[in-house]
Amino acid sequence: MHVQEWLETVPAVSIYVLVGVVIGLESLGIPLPGEIVLVSSALLASQHGDIDPWVLGACATAGAIIGDSIGYAIGRRGGRPLLTWLGGKFPKHFSEGNIALAERSFQKWGMWAVFFGRFVALLRIFAGPLAGVLRMPYWKFLIANVFGGILWAGGTTAVIYSVGVVAEAWLKRFSWLGLVLAVLIGLTSMLVLKNRAKKAAAAAEARAAEAATPEPVGATAN
């Protein structure tokens, strides 16, 4: 069953809790489809008056901020052995290449990596735990976490909800075309960002493999 079709059978309160918990766990460092659940719920809210978009956005924001904060605390306490353990549990997401890519982002951008990382699936999972592992000052992390969570969760809810309302009006005139357009617009940005993240991770793995290759004997400078 499609995510949205399943959500239609769930009471509004359960949807609020589901969105908050899924996004919280994803932000904590567990690979879950938080963005898909949020987009589907916001689109559903635009078509069913029982779901309040303000409450939905607030729950998503709370889940993002609280999840990231817990992830930070776990990362600070667990250190690099935690990343190794996560790599064993989730090798696709916590591979050495992905970790290296996230680390470079943090070293280059600092707290901005936490803020903008909220909009990139790969960094969204890494942001909290990695910030803790790298011992970023908590006040910096908290500022970036709060503003990033509000802008991403609240902004995504507002945009998808607005698009869904417009699509609902079109749906009455142009049958299913309006709904298809809403889904496409709502998911395009997510797919583009995920594609870019995959390419960046692949490039990081290639660079890591190249750096690990032993230098040929006799290749040292004269």
Side-chain angles (χ1 to χ4, degrees), residues 12-54:
V13 174
S14 299
I15 290 179
Y16 301 146
V17 174
L18 174 68
V19 169
V21 169
V22 170
I23 291 177
L25 291 175
E26 181 190 39
S27 301
L28 190 153
I30 299 176
L32 290 175
E35 197 164 33
I36 293 177
V37 171
L38 178 58
V39 168
S40 298
S41 300
L43 187 59
L44 184 63
S46 70
Q47 300 168 12
H48 299 274
D50 294 339
I51 303 174
D52 189 329
W54 289 96

Side-chain angles (χ1 to χ4, degrees), residues 121-211:
L122 177 64
L123 289 179
R124 187 162 58 249
I125 297 172
F126 276 109
L130 189 56
V133 170
L134 297 178
R135 296 192 173 276
M136 175 183 290
Y138 182 69
W139 68 269
K140 288 186 176 182
F141 171 80
L142 183 61
I143 291 174
N145 179 27
V146 169
F147 283 101
I150 292 174
L151 188 59
W152 174 74
T156 298
T157 302
V159 170
I160 299 302
Y161 177 81
S162 300
V163 170
V165 170
V166 173
E168 182 70 11
W170 286 2
L171 189 61
K172 297 176 182 178
R173 298 182 181 181
F174 304 107
S175 185
W176 51 271
L177 292 178
L179 182 59
V180 171
L181 180 62
V183 174
L184 289 177
I185 293 176
L187 296 179
T188 295
S189 60
M190 178 185 68
L191 295 176
V192 169
L193 289 174
K194 284 187 175 182
N195 185 50
R196 290 182 178 177
K198 284 184 179 180
K199 289 183 178 179
E205 289 182 348
R207 286 193 295 269
E210 183 178 350

